[in-house]
Amino acid sequence: QVQLVESGGNSVQTGGSLRLSCVVSGYPYSNYCMGWFRQAPGQEEREGVATIADDGHTTYADSVKGRFTVSQDNAKTTLYLQMNSLKPEGAAMYYCALRRWSYVCWSGSYTYWGQGTQVTVSS
């Protein structure tokens, strides 16, 4: 059974930093796409924040480029999202997700999801 467990969400002031973690277990394949997504209150759909493939290739939403960094540990069991210079519009529930690898990790649906971790940004 594949499980994803996020942590690290917190309340920070504008301009602050947070690092989110997502521990993955039970995934049986060596190839994958992983990503961070977020959903703000009142937003109907989750939006992509950053994705990373098993080869380390990353993609970011334009709104977070230069401020957020997605990475994984050497064992590839934990996904991270380093968020710097947080803005109020970054407040949301953040989810990590996983699926089999495809050429473009940014596109398409994801199979496995965590329960989310809440990020609050105050001005």
Side-chain angles (χ1 to χ4, degrees), residues 16-78:
S17 297
L18 281 176
R19 188 175 82 156
L20 306 183
S21 299
C22 174
V23 177
V24 181
S25 60
Y27 184 71
Y29 306 109
S30 61
N31 63 80
Y32 57 83
C33 287
M34 289 200 71
W36 287 99
F37 299 79
R38 65 187 180 188
Q39 188 169 18
Q43 194 174 22
E44 287 192 3
E45 294 184 357
R46 296 172 185 174
E47 64 174 356
V49 177
T51 61
I52 186 167
D54 56 274
D55 65 357
H57 181 74
T58 58
T59 307
Y60 295 92
D62 288 343
S63 60
V64 306
K65 282 180 181 176
R67 298 186 298 117
F68 290 15
T69 303
V70 61
S71 63
Q72 51 194 339
D73 66 345
N74 289 337
K76 298 184 178 180
T77 58
T78 304

Side-chain angles (χ1 to χ4, degrees), residues 78-104:
T78 304
L79 183 70
Y80 301 103
L81 184 67
Q82 178 66 43
M83 305 187 293
N84 298 328
S85 302
L86 277 160
K87 302 177 181 180
E89 53 265 38
M93 184 71 80
Y94 282 72
Y95 300 88
C96 69
L98 168 69
R99 70 163 193 234
R100 292 291 296 270
W101 180 87
S102 65
Y103 188 72
V104 181

